[in-house]
Amino acid sequence: MLTNSEKWFTRAKQFLPGGVNSPVRSFKAVGGAPPVFQRGEGAFLFDIDGNCYIDYVGSWGPLILGHAHPEVVEAVIAAVRNGTTFGAPTPAELELAELVVEALPSIEMVRFVNSGTEAAMSAIRLARGFTGRDKIIKFQGCYHGHADMLLAKAGSGVVSFGLPDSQGVPASVTQHTLTVPYNNLAAIEEIFAQFPNEIAAVTVEPIAGNMGVVLPQPKFLSGLRKLTQQHGALLIFDEVITGFRVAFGGAQSLYNVMPDLTCLGKIIGGGFPVGAYGGKKEIMEKLAPLGPVYQAGTLSGNPVAMAAGAATLRLLKRPGTYERLEMLGQKLARGISEAAKKNGVAVYQTRVGSMLCNFFTDGEVVDYDTALTSDTQFYRRYFHGMLQRGVYLAPSQFEASFVSLAHTETEIEQTIAAMSEALAKET
Ligand code: KE4
């Protein structure tokens, strides 16, 4: 007997490629049909069959307050009653801009866009315009959205010109994108030696969240800062996930490394489509209408999304926010470790505050190649075991899990109990 979700998904696949509007939602990595969600409330999701799940995806990061936070809902309703978009200056965009500039130490000016992809691609264009250089460096396993020049995969060798990582991306575009292993400073030094004065920017997730969660090794970020400064290249921190997630001031405040440009998204939209990029005035003033680097967007800075973002940041600013997220994240991580140990399951766990990952591998995970040693078949079985027990994890081993301020110790304890059962069944 098909569930309502299965029936809906079968129909959706007739009209939406793969039945989804973003590939990872399709459950391709874990198999089966995804639950179709009707409603979210706090830490919970409810599907169209009436099943309830504890949510650790949080829409891939934006929902640090949980679903439908009353104060965010109120702010959105009040905003939408005044109209949804004007394509003209509004007070709301200035309010959110001031909150972002005040929070992130490296940002003096910010430009709002509508997604993390737009933020990342615009920051690259700005870096190229500011430096007059074409080449960019990215790290294998880091994801910065789906702009052509960032869909580059490593060729052979540690330092390699990006090969297209998707059909439809011309090699002529990715040829300017060099890709190196995460945490590998020597490879960056080699590139700067090989291409002096040709590198416009190094773009990096200061805590990688798209190959699972991979932490920067000591001196990696400060090393990138030093090398880019030495060689006249810009350092771009892609904080689309980590911005306001790991600290109110993002990873840059946690590690005290100041990039030239920062990309933001997810949390700053409070659940609405918002991205942003910002940095030093000297760089940002290169942007149209002031300067020669063009970027635009019909709905950029629209007042409803700005209201949702501003309400979210105001709530996150309250004392005790990140201490609570740390407490909940630590409790979950500790419980998972103990359950894995009890069941003899090898897990390499990474966590910063409320973003975490459990790699099912017995090795250390420091970059994309080591992340790939994970047992994805085991993850697949574990994922479904947890789903059946009412816990909704990321449908891929290579994503981050997120705890929100709506989670309580009760949900954490229920999750750990479910995990113990799911792991026991698998071993
Ligand atoms: P969007 O264009 O999806 O808003 O943002 C792209 C992006 C940029 N930078 C980082 C560090 C990101 O993590 C993302 C998007 N993250 C993925 C999940 N890890 C979004 C989920 C999806 O693709 O459906």
Side-chain angles (χ1 to χ4, degrees):
M1 169 76 168
L2 290 179
T3 64
N4 291 330
S5 282
E6 286 163 335
K7 282 182 223 156
W8 186 97
F9 197 59
T10 303
R11 182 165 156 69
K13 283 190 278 194
Q14 294 173 40
F15 299 94
L16 298 164
V20 292
N21 284 300
S22 198
V24 71
R25 305 176 190 173
S26 65
F27 272 32
K28 193 174 173 195
V30 292
V36 176
F37 294 121
Q38 184 81 48
R39 184 170 70 90
E41 187 183 324
F44 301 101
L45 279 167
F46 301 87
D47 71 18
I48 57 175
D49 291 283
N51 301 309
C52 173
Y53 306 86
I54 302 171
D55 180 16
Y56 288 100
V57 178
S59 184
W60 305 97
L63 298 180
I64 193 167
L65 297 175
H67 293 274
H69 188 288
E71 291 183 51
V72 177
V73 171
E74 277 314 302
V76 166
I77 290 170
V80 87
R81 283 214 174 98
N82 291 326
T84 52
T85 178
F86 307 111
T90 69
E93 61 199 328
L94 176 55
E95 186 188 348
L96 186 57
E98 287 175 334
L99 282 164
V100 167
V101 168
E102 184 197 344
L104 283 138
S106 70
I107 297 185
E108 294 175 344
M109 283 189 121
V110 64
R111 168 67 59 89
F112 291 112
V113 291
N114 299 281
S115 69
T117 293
E118 262 195 281
M121 68 185 242
S122 307
I124 296 284
R125 182 183 308 138
L126 178 57
R128 285 172 161 163
F130 182 77
T131 61
R133 301 174 178 181
D134 290 342
K135 286 186 176 57
I136 57 172
I137 300 171
K138 76 173 286 290
F139 293 87
Q140 289 146 30
C142 284
Y143 175 67
H144 307 287
H146 62 86
D148 279 358
M149 75 290 226
L150 289 162
L151 286 181
K153 68 182 174 202
S156 59
V158 167
V159 173
S160 59
F161 280 105
L163 301 174
D165 202 8
S166 161
Q167 287 206 0
V169 174
S172 60
V173 171
T174 53
Q175 69 179 347
H176 299 296
T177 307
L178 290 141
T179 62
V180 293
Y182 195 72
N183 276 316
N184 188 330
L185 267 182
I188 299 288
E189 281 175 318
E190 193 185 321
I191 290 180
F192 277 116
Q194 211 175 331
F195 304 103
N197 310 317
E198 291 186 55
I199 308 294
V202 175
T203 188
V204 67
E205 290 180 65
I207 300 163
N210 286 285
M211 45 176 147
V213 177
V214 178
L215 308 190
Q217 294 194 323
K219 301 203 184 311
F220 174 57
L221 298 176
S222 56
L224 289 180
R225 180 63 287 177
K226 214 164 100 219
L227 283 167
T228 46
Q229 234 140 17
Q230 273 169 356
H231 295 276
L234 298 192
L235 178 59
I236 301 173
F237 272 10
D238 180 339
E239 296 225 41
V240 167
I241 289 182
T242 56
F244 299 97
R245 168 60 66 180
V246 297
F248 195 67
Q252 58 194 261
S253 68
L254 214 55
Y255 295 106
N256 194 26
V257 174
M258 296 301 127
D260 299 298
L261 289 173
T262 300
C263 300
L264 297 167
K266 297 184 192 272
I267 289 173
I268 64 163
F272 281 74
V274 175
Y277 59 110
K280 296 187 181 100
K281 259 199 173 71
E282 181 200 5
I283 303 172
M284 295 301 287
E285 288 180 341
K286 280 280 183 188
L287 277 175
L290 297 178
V293 178
Y294 192 73
Q295 179 268 310
T298 304
L299 290 170
S300 296
N302 83 79
V304 180
M306 297 293 103
T312 300
L313 298 197
R314 281 196 300 269
L315 285 162
L316 290 175
K317 219 173 150 182
R318 289 180 181 170
T321 293
Y322 293 91
E323 291 79 0
R324 177 164 177 75
L325 288 167
E326 172 58 28
M327 180 276 288
L328 291 169
Q330 196 182 83
K331 189 176 176 65
L332 178 63
R334 192 174 291 148
I336 290 172
S337 270
E338 284 161 9
K341 212 167 169 182
K342 193 171 73 178
N343 288 285
V345 173
V347 170
Y348 182 80
Q349 195 174 74
T350 53
R351 179 179 72 85
V352 181
S354 60
M355 73 183 272
L356 62 154
C357 181
N358 298 291
F359 293 98
F360 289 111
T361 179
D362 46 17
E364 201 189 15
V365 177
V366 296
D367 59 17
Y368 190 50
D369 285 347
T370 47
L372 290 179
T373 64
S374 304
D375 181 345
T376 51
Q377 289 312 310
F378 185 92
Y379 185 84
R380 188 188 180 110
R381 296 193 303 275
Y382 162 70
F383 170 83
H384 283 289
M386 294 294 275
L387 194 66
Q388 284 149 25
R389 292 172 176 80
V391 178
Y392 184 65
L393 300 174
S396 161
Q397 164 71 88
F398 306 111
E399 292 289 353
S401 290
F402 299 105
V403 183
S404 83
L405 286 164
H407 287 75
T408 71
E409 292 174 87
T410 305
E411 286 76 60
I412 303 292
E413 284 150 16
Q414 286 169 349
T415 303
I416 294 161
M419 180 173 203
S420 300
E421 284 178 25
L423 288 180
K425 196 167 166 303
E426 289 310 325
T427 47

